[in-house]
């Protein structure tokens, strides 16, 4: 019985810690981000893991990326521009935090 309780506790903790990541991927899907960006692979734009790697440890990267998500941008990843996105600042912050957390 103790083994079952321990297993259920471990499963619950895993679900709780995975929920924010899944929620942010769901937001990315809902906002259309995954039409151009893959988590692991480049589509039209870079993969989110490549973005996380590029900006890892850079001071102010999160604020810079929030503005890029909101307003769009061009030139950082090649000639194809990223259009402005229909997201609130809070949603952009949530998406950027998720992207930067990827490994």
């Amino acid at each position: 019985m103790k083994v079952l309780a321990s297993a259920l506790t471990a499963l619950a903790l895993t679900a709780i810690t995975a929920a924010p990541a899944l929620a942010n991927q769901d937001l990315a899907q809902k906002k259309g981000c995954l039409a151009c960006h893959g988590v692991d692979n480049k589509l039209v734009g870079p993969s989110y893991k490549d973005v996380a790697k590029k900006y890892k440890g850079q001071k102010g990267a999160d604020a810079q990326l929030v503005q890029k998500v909101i307003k769009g941008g061009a030139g950082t990843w090649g000639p194809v521009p990223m259009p402005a996105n229909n997201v609130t600042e809070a949603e952009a912050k949530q998406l950027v935090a998720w992207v930067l957390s990827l490994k």
Side-chain angles (χ1 to χ4, degrees), residues 14-81:
T14 300
I16 289 169
T17 57
L22 183 57
N24 291 308
Q25 187 166 352
D26 287 345
L27 179 60
Q29 181 69 43
K30 177 181 170 189
K31 293 297 182 174
C33 306
L34 297 176
C36 294
H37 299 276
V39 173
D40 298 306
N41 56 317
K42 178 186 182 331
L43 298 175
V44 175
S47 76
Y48 284 139
K49 287 186 178 182
D50 286 343
V51 173
K53 189 182 304 181
K54 179 180 182 98
Y55 290 97
K56 182 180 181 180
Q58 288 188 26
K59 187 174 182 175
D62 52 346
Q64 177 186 358
L65 292 173
V66 164
Q67 290 307 306
K68 281 191 175 192
V69 169
I70 294 170
K71 297 177 182 176
T76 304
W77 295 93
V80 179

Side-chain angles (χ1 to χ4, degrees), residues 1-20:
M1 192 60 133
K2 286 183 180 183
V3 172
L4 179 59
S6 294
L8 290 175
T9 300
L11 182 60
L13 288 174
T14 300
I16 289 169
T17 57

